[in-house]
Amino acid sequence: MTTSLYDLSVPTFLQTVSAVAGFLDRAVRHCDETGGDPDAFVSARLYPDMAPFHFQIEALSHHAAWGVETLKTGVFDPPGLIGAMPFADLQAMVGRAEAMLQGFRREEIDACAGRQLDLQIGPRRLAFTAESFILSFSLPNFHFHAVTAYDILRTNGVPIGKRDYEGRLRTLPDGGL
């Protein structure tokens, strides 16, 4: 069985982006239940020299949606970072990333397989194939920022667990039985 470029990217990003949307919703419910303010999470950090929560959400959104867009365009060009914003705006950003991912068609992404990408990413110029870009750059960065966002919420008392991070697993329809 062959795994396609689409299968490596879009459903993988969607699984976690949907999970992130879910644990952001859970953070709002937690604040409603405890009298907290979700905006208090926006600048929270795990450690003083780490980027804040809002950056984690922006970065994971960019690596997911714009990582896949890069396969088509050959340019990694996500929108510029916005910075601190209301928690509701971070939720909307995740929603936009999810919608963008849902808009990619299997055939358009699979047609990019084997494509060589010569990318300027920050100060570095890096050459990838479409597959190595997704597997060695976008997915690792995406998961780093997604788990860091999860950890910031968890450290700040939001009652989420591993299954919240996993999201909906892509199991066989009948459970494989």
Side-chain angles (χ1 to χ4, degrees), residues 28-89:
V28 170
R29 286 193 310 276
H30 173 72
C31 288
D32 288 346
E33 294 164 2
T34 62
D37 180 1
D39 288 337
F41 298 124
V42 170
S43 295
R45 301 169 187 260
L46 285 179
Y47 198 76
D49 69 349
M50 289 183 75
F53 184 78
H54 65 82
F55 176 84
Q56 308 305 329
I57 299 300
E58 284 191 86
L60 74 87
S61 297
H62 291 172
H63 279 288
W66 296 97
V68 177
E69 182 70 11
T70 298
L71 301 176
K72 293 173 30 184
T73 64
V75 177
F76 184 64
D77 190 28
L81 295 171
I82 298 168
M85 65 188 82
F87 193 87
D89 291 354

Side-chain angles (χ1 to χ4, degrees), residues 4-175:
S4 73
L5 184 56
Y6 179 91
D7 291 332
L8 290 173
S9 58
V10 175
T12 302
F13 285 124
L14 274 170
Q15 179 178 338
T16 302
V17 166
S18 297
V20 169
F23 64 69
L24 294 180
D25 290 345
R26 181 62 189 111
V28 170
R29 286 193 310 276
H30 173 72
C31 288
D32 288 346
E33 294 164 2
T34 62
D37 180 1
D39 288 337
F41 298 124
V42 170
S43 295
R45 301 169 187 260
L46 285 179
Y47 198 76
D49 69 349
M50 289 183 75
F53 184 78
H54 65 82
F55 176 84
Q56 308 305 329
I57 299 300
E58 284 191 86
L60 74 87
S61 297
H62 291 172
H63 279 288
W66 296 97
V68 177
E69 182 70 11
T70 298
L71 301 176
K72 293 173 30 184
T73 64
V75 177
F76 184 64
D77 190 28
L81 295 171
I82 298 168
M85 65 188 82
F87 193 87
D89 291 354
L90 294 172
Q91 289 179 284
M93 180 180 291
V94 171
R96 287 189 300 275
E98 187 172 16
M100 190 171 169
L101 287 164
Q102 289 169 342
F104 291 114
R105 294 181 339 272
R106 175 180 293 280
E107 54 278 355
E108 74 181 328
I109 301 306
D110 285 345
C112 299
R115 182 176 187 188
Q116 293 192 1
L117 304 171
D118 184 21
L119 303 176
Q120 185 72 41
I121 300 174
R124 302 180 291 173
R125 186 145 202 91
L126 303 167
F128 294 102
T129 63
E131 294 83 355
S132 65
F133 173 75
I134 289 296
L135 293 171
S136 73
F137 182 76
S138 277
L139 277 170
N141 276 285
F142 166 76
H143 282 294
F144 174 85
H145 295 296
V147 79
T148 302
Y150 167 94
D151 290 342
I152 290 170
L153 292 178
R154 186 71 182 107
T155 298
N156 283 282
V158 177
I160 50 179
K162 180 180 177 184
R163 289 192 179 165
D164 297 298
Y165 181 83
E166 287 177 338
R168 184 179 175 159
L169 301 177
R170 292 174 279 161
T171 59
L172 294 173
D174 64 358

